[in-house]
Amino acid sequence: MSAHAGPVHHAEAPKGFIRHYIFSVDHKIIGTQYILLGLSAVTIGMVLSLIMRIHLVWPNAHLWGFANGIVSPEDYLRVVTMHGTLMVFFVLTTVPQSGFGNYFLPIQIGAPDMAFPRINMLSFWFTFLAMIVLLASAFVPGGASISGWTSYAPLSAVGEVAGPGLGMGQTLWVVSIALFCAASLMSALNFLGTTIDLRTKGLSLMRMPLTVWGWFITACLALLAFGVLLAACILLLLDRLASTSFFIPANLDVSGVLLHHGGGSPLLWQHLFWFFGHPEVYIAILPGMGIISHVLSTFSRKPVFGYKAMVYSLSAIGFLSFTVWGHHMFISGMNPYSALAFSIITLVIGVPSAIKTFNWLGTLWGGRIQFTAAMLFAIGFVSLFVTGGLSGIFLAQPALDLYLHDTYYVIGHFHLIMGVAAIFAMFAATYYWFPKMFGRHMNETIGKIHFWCTFLGVYCIFMPMHYLGYAGDPRRYASIESVNYLLPLHPVHYFISIAAFFTASAQLLFYWNFFWSIKHGKPAERNPWHGTTLEWSVSTPVPHDNFAGHYPTIYRGPYEYSVPGMRDDYVPQDLAPELVAKA
């Protein structure tokens, strides 16, 4: 561990609007920029998901923005692709790590800023540019890509001969993801350098909050995973623009046109993509696991049960995530022995996941639980993680995956465990840290109503999808009207669509609560939740350079709640032992 000999990055806050809010190098401003970017992306993604639900239930409905008001099958695939790409990359990857991590990691380790502030700013603007390029693909000739967020080769590699959306739209999709990878690599290096080099005196690894552990391990995963995806995107661009044949096999006939490529492998794209893709699941969820552990301990007024076991479990999940990519490719024709190996490793990853779940329950057990909005979303996260995890066990079996892989079962499973669970962690983080970020509280009553509507809504949306999957409902069909065996499932789709409208409407409560509270919420004191970690030791809102050059010394672990013999039920990490009040 390294300690500060003095201020590492200490400067006056910039005065101009552009330097202060646009091209800022302050980690708090950049974190807020990431959060607002994610909020924009999730809003667009949510509207796109409603368009899907409307079209599946009322296929002849006229919708604004489509030719003659009708959503064609190609339009439906464009909407699916844009929804998946926005949500996976610009929401689930961006907000928990780059948003909340940027804002709170330096403060929680007692640092004045990230290790490389200008690279931090650059990584945000690369991410912003990536999103602009992605959205721009909807307005080029042929429209946005129709190849899904996985963009499987060879159709994503051969160009517009493969169909609408696979010309310029697909090229822009690849460019967008390549830019996003570059931004993520810069961000990962920054997180690692900051955590390793800028921890304040006394903050050993085993005294770091679990939030910091989550962001640190996620940065390790991002550094390894996004490097592979960036290389894959460059190869895909070369196939599309320079007539190479990395992913295009010889003598490929597309739409009656014989393509003159030689010897590429479409499966190579799948291997490269899923070597990134499975760690991506944990890049989305590991920061949330840290946040949830943090919130559960604070509002249970208890230390995290089995802190070291939680750290080792986070690390084990991160390591194992690079060994299971093949379970996404059971139907690719791989050797059955390979499938067996990937299946066993996939089940093994359930062990550290179960340890974390039991430790969360152990943290709650016997605690003096405070049911704040943040705590409700944290408990909701645990529920969704368990439910989504249990449905994943079935997909780890190659024989069952062959049947379920291309059905709504997969949609229900990964939305629960990767999508909605991560979003619940973002909601928990927002309600928990809002007072520190903006100096005001969000409305707790509206927050609790928002939780219950969202919690019930997402279960009503995604649990029936498991039933649809068992019934054999394919997940990429734009309409089920012309498929006789699917017609009896129409009432289930209708129920899901109504639940989706209800859940989306409930998010209006959050939008109103968030923006109204920035100006009109109840003023917050320095430490409203009686937390123990360093972000609660600085004034609210946090000053430009966090600690004004006076860096704290850490004397204990991050979750000293209800310590026997103490007057208060919490002991801050930086409170000197001689100042701790005895009972």
Side-chain angles (χ1 to χ4, degrees):
M1 189 202 82
S2 67
H4 296 295
V8 175
H9 173 76
H10 179 60
E12 294 295 325
K15 305 297 183 186
F17 180 85
I18 292 179
R19 286 288 290 120
H20 188 77
Y21 292 106
I22 307 299
F23 296 108
S24 174
V25 295
D26 183 344
H27 68 99
K28 299 181 289 298
I29 298 295
I30 294 172
T32 306
Q33 288 174 327
Y34 272 117
I35 292 171
L36 294 179
L37 181 78
L39 195 59
S40 304
V42 78
T43 303
I44 300 171
M46 191 164 56
V47 170
L48 294 174
S49 67
L50 293 180
I51 291 174
M52 283 187 269
R53 293 313 314 173
I54 291 172
H55 180 70
L56 285 170
V57 178
W58 300 286
N60 297 317
H62 283 65
L63 297 175
W64 180 82
F66 297 92
N68 301 318
I70 298 296
V71 179
S72 67
E74 291 79 11
D75 289 333
Y76 181 83
L77 292 176
R78 288 189 186 94
V79 172
V80 170
T81 301
M82 196 67 83
H83 167 80
T85 308
L86 280 171
M87 296 300 287
V88 169
F89 290 98
F90 296 95
V91 179
L92 302 179
T93 305
T94 296
V95 177
Q97 178 76 2
S98 302
F100 290 108
N102 248 310
Y103 200 110
F104 286 103
L105 183 139
I107 307 175
Q108 288 194 334
I109 65 171
D113 204 330
M114 298 294 275
F116 310 108
R118 285 176 174 75
I119 291 179
N120 202 22
M121 176 188 69
L122 196 61
S123 65
F124 167 75
W125 283 107
F126 264 61
T127 307
F128 178 82
L129 181 61
M131 185 166 153
I132 295 300
V133 171
L134 179 70
L135 296 177
S137 70
F139 302 98
V140 299
S145 168
I146 64 171
S147 58
W149 80 280
T150 55
S151 278
Y152 275 1
L155 293 184
S156 63
V158 296
E160 58 187 359
V161 67
L166 294 172
M168 180 60 75
Q170 180 66 48
T171 300
L172 290 180
W173 185 95
V174 182
V175 171
S176 167
I177 299 307
L179 287 170
F180 188 90
C181 291
S184 298
L185 291 173
M186 288 188 280
S187 179
L189 286 171
N190 223 344
F191 273 73
L192 295 177
T194 304
T195 308
I196 292 170
D197 279 348
L198 297 188
R199 280 176 286 127
T200 193
K201 183 178 179 182
L203 187 60
S204 62
L205 290 176
M206 283 303 170
R207 284 180 172 177
M208 293 197 311
L210 288 172
T211 43
V212 177
W213 271 110
W215 293 319
F216 178 70
I217 296 171
T218 301
C220 296
L221 268 61
L223 190 65
L224 298 172
F226 279 107
V228 173
L229 184 61
L230 177 59
C233 286
I234 292 172
L235 298 182
L236 188 58
L237 273 178
L238 290 173
D239 273 6
R240 294 180 59 81
L241 304 177
S243 299
T244 57
S245 298
F246 293 104
F247 306 119
I248 306 173
N251 302 318
L252 181 66
D253 187 311
V254 179
S255 305
V257 177
L258 184 62
L259 302 180
H260 299 289
H261 287 266
S265 169
L267 278 182
L268 175 61
W269 171 263
Q270 291 194 35
H271 280 292
L272 293 174
F273 184 87
W274 287 116
F275 187 80
F276 146 81
H278 198 79
E280 165 62 20
V281 173
Y282 297 100
I283 288 171
I285 203 71
L286 281 178
M289 289 178 171
I291 292 167
I292 293 310
S293 305
H294 202 74
V295 172
L296 288 178
S297 178
T298 301
F299 293 115
S300 296
R301 313 311 294 170
K302 282 182 62 184
V304 168
F305 183 82
Y307 170 88
K308 289 186 178 179
M310 295 289 263
V311 172
Y312 297 140
S313 297
L314 281 172
S315 305
I317 290 171
F319 170 76
L320 290 171
S321 69
F322 283 103
T323 64
V324 296
W325 81 92
H327 76 218
H328 296 276
M329 300 170 58
F330 285 152
I331 63 170
S332 67
M334 67 166 55
N335 186 305
Y337 293 108
S338 300
L340 180 63
F342 282 119
S343 175
I344 293 172
I345 300 171
T346 302
L347 294 174
V348 169
I349 209 169
V351 175
S353 300
I355 291 173
K356 294 189 64 60
T357 303
F358 286 126
N359 284 11
W360 286 326
L361 298 178
T363 304
L364 290 169
W365 184 263
R368 290 182 290 110
I369 297 175
Q370 301 169 356
F371 290 103
T372 61
M375 184 62 159
L376 289 174
F377 275 104
I379 295 172
F381 172 96
V382 177
S383 168
L384 292 163
F385 183 74
V386 171
T387 306
L390 289 175
S391 63
I393 293 174
F394 297 94
L395 294 175
Q397 314 299 322
L400 289 174
D401 183 75
L402 291 176
Y403 176 77
L404 295 172
H405 186 86
D406 204 30
T407 72
Y408 270 91
Y409 186 96
V410 174
I411 302 291
H413 159 69
F414 84 75
H415 271 81
L416 283 178
I417 196 165
M418 178 184 174
V420 183
I423 287 176
F424 267 49
M426 295 178 216
F427 282 137
T430 304
Y431 284 106
Y432 180 70
W433 279 317
F434 190 91
K436 182 56 63 180
M437 296 173 72
F438 300 105
R440 294 181 181 275
H441 284 275
M442 295 179 74
N443 186 292
E444 275 289 307
T445 302
I446 295 176
K448 292 173 183 176
I449 296 171
H450 171 227
F451 165 76
W452 284 111
C453 292
T454 307
F455 184 71
L456 295 174
V458 296
Y459 268 110
C460 288
I461 294 171
F462 297 111
M463 287 306 288
M465 288 188 182
H466 292 77
Y467 169 74
L468 291 177
Y470 278 124
D473 194 341
R475 56 174 151 141
R476 295 189 183 88
Y477 280 22
S479 172
I480 64 172
E481 298 291 320
S482 58
V483 186
N484 286 336
Y485 84 93
L486 295 177
L487 291 179
L489 300 176
H490 189 271
V492 183
H493 277 289
Y494 184 84
F495 175 82
I496 292 173
S497 293
I498 297 300
F501 301 144
F502 172 77
T503 308
S505 301
Q507 305 320 304
L508 297 177
L509 293 173
F510 173 78
Y511 285 107
W512 186 86
N513 198 1
F514 184 89
F515 289 108
W516 184 87
S517 299
I518 290 176
K519 286 289 186 185
H520 307 289
K522 186 177 73 174
E525 54 192 282
R526 177 188 294 240
N527 187 2
W529 311 123
H530 294 167
T532 57
T533 43
L534 288 181
E535 73 268 31
W536 305 111
S537 70
V538 295
S539 59
T540 300
V542 183
H544 170 66
D545 54 356
N546 299 343
F547 299 96
H550 302 291
Y551 300 109
T553 299
I554 299 301
Y555 297 96
R556 57 189 63 81
Y559 303 112
E560 296 290 318
Y561 292 106
S562 304
V563 179
M566 301 300 169
R567 186 191 65 187
D568 300 319
D569 75 339
Y570 70 104
V571 185
Q573 280 189 287
D574 61 329
L575 187 63
E578 61 273 18
L579 299 179
V580 176
K582 307 293 183 182

